[in-house]
């Protein structure tokens, strides 16, 4: 399970930078093709690796899908705050984060 989580976190970090590096480093603005070429293979590889681990562990692609959704709301806010100075501590974000944690807990505990 550790490797599934690690692969997901790595893929999410790469995906965040693929989409937002243009806002972090101005040189990247207008270089969408270069960003896609550089980041797409590692993102695809680590997401597939994580998906495979989760699906094999839980025996359901639905479980993997909900875990991916829930984890995305736990990783993205920290990256957006750290690199883009966007405040993740709004009421709306707080509610979404709580719901994401609940989704993960449900997927891990109910079978």
């Amino acid at each position: 399970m550790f490797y599934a989580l690690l692969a997901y976190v790595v893929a999410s970090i790469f995906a965040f930078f693929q989409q937002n590096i243009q806002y972090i480093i101005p040189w990247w603005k207008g270089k969408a093709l270069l960003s896609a070429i550089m980041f797409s293979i590692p993102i695809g590889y680590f997401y597939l690796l994580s998906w495979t681990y989760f699906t094999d562990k839980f025996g359901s692609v639905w479980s993997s899908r909900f875990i991916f959704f829930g984890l995305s709301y736990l990783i993205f806010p920290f990256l957006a705050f750290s690199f883009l100075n966007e405040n993740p501590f709004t009421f709306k974000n707080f509610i979404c984060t709580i719901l994401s944690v609940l989704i993960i807990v449900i997927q891990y505990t109910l079978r």
Side-chain angles (χ1 to χ4, degrees):
M1 188 59 60
F2 172 77
Y3 292 112
L5 290 170
L6 181 63
Y8 183 84
V9 168
V10 169
S12 292
I13 290 170
F14 276 121
F16 176 84
F17 282 110
Q18 181 185 42
Q19 297 164 0
N20 295 295
I21 198 165
Q22 63 183 324
Y23 303 115
I24 300 167
I25 301 172
W27 182 85
W28 281 94
K29 197 145 200 89
K31 295 181 175 63
L33 182 60
L34 178 61
S35 178
I37 291 169
M38 282 186 59
F39 289 103
S40 293
I41 291 175
I43 291 168
Y45 173 74
F46 284 109
Y47 273 145
L48 181 60
L49 192 64
S50 180
W51 183 269
T52 302
Y53 283 139
F54 281 130
T55 303
D56 289 347
K57 170 74 174 166
F58 294 109
S60 167
V61 295
W62 278 105
S63 293
S64 299
R65 178 65 196 114
F66 286 125
I67 289 170
F68 267 45
F69 170 78
L71 288 173
S72 71
Y73 269 89
L74 299 179
I75 295 169
F76 181 85
F78 294 107
L79 293 172
F81 180 73
S82 298
F83 292 99
L84 300 171
N85 296 318
E86 290 192 12
N87 184 8
F89 304 110
T90 65
F91 181 71
K92 178 177 74 172
N93 290 348
F94 176 73
I95 296 298
C96 289
T97 301
I98 296 298
L99 291 172
S100 297
V101 169
L102 286 174
I103 288 170
I104 293 168
V105 168
I106 289 168
Q107 291 302 317
Y108 271 105
T109 58
L110 298 179
R111 293 201 178 193

